[in-house]
Amino acid sequence: YGTALFRQDKLKPALEQLNRSIELNDDYMPAFAQRSLVQEKLDNLDAAYSDLKIACEREPQFAKAFIKLGNR
């Protein structure tokens, strides 16, 4: 649901949904990667970087996060 809100450019509600998703399951790395995109659009660059770093550390084979982290 957070991704759908992000695509509609509803950034604050997207962030809230992704925060809830992560609270419910903090092992779901795509939620961290998606939240990093929202944080980046909100110009919260430190938070965006932190989410990508968490995804990379917890799931090293999660290539999407590594690619995004490498572009920072």
Side-chain angles (χ1 to χ4, degrees):
Y1 186 61
T3 300
L5 291 168
F6 173 74
R7 288 182 182 148
Q8 297 170 17
D9 209 33
K10 296 177 180 178
L11 301 178
K12 298 270 184 179
L15 183 60
E16 291 170 8
Q17 286 299 317
L18 290 161
N19 286 340
R20 274 187 233 145
S21 294
I22 290 168
E23 286 174 15
L24 292 172
N25 182 3
D26 70 351
D27 290 326
Y28 187 61
M29 295 306 107
F32 282 93
Q34 185 65 41
R35 188 171 72 175
S36 77
L37 293 175
V38 174
Q39 294 285 23
E40 184 176 23
K41 279 197 106 173
L42 290 170
D43 205 31
N44 299 330
L45 301 182
D46 288 340
Y49 177 83
S50 177
D51 280 344
L52 289 176
K53 189 173 177 188
I54 288 168
C56 289
E57 288 173 351
R58 290 191 190 173
E59 196 170 319
Q61 68 274 19
F62 189 51
K64 186 176 182 180
F66 273 111
I67 292 166
K68 288 179 184 176
L69 189 59
N71 290 327
R72 303 245 180 261

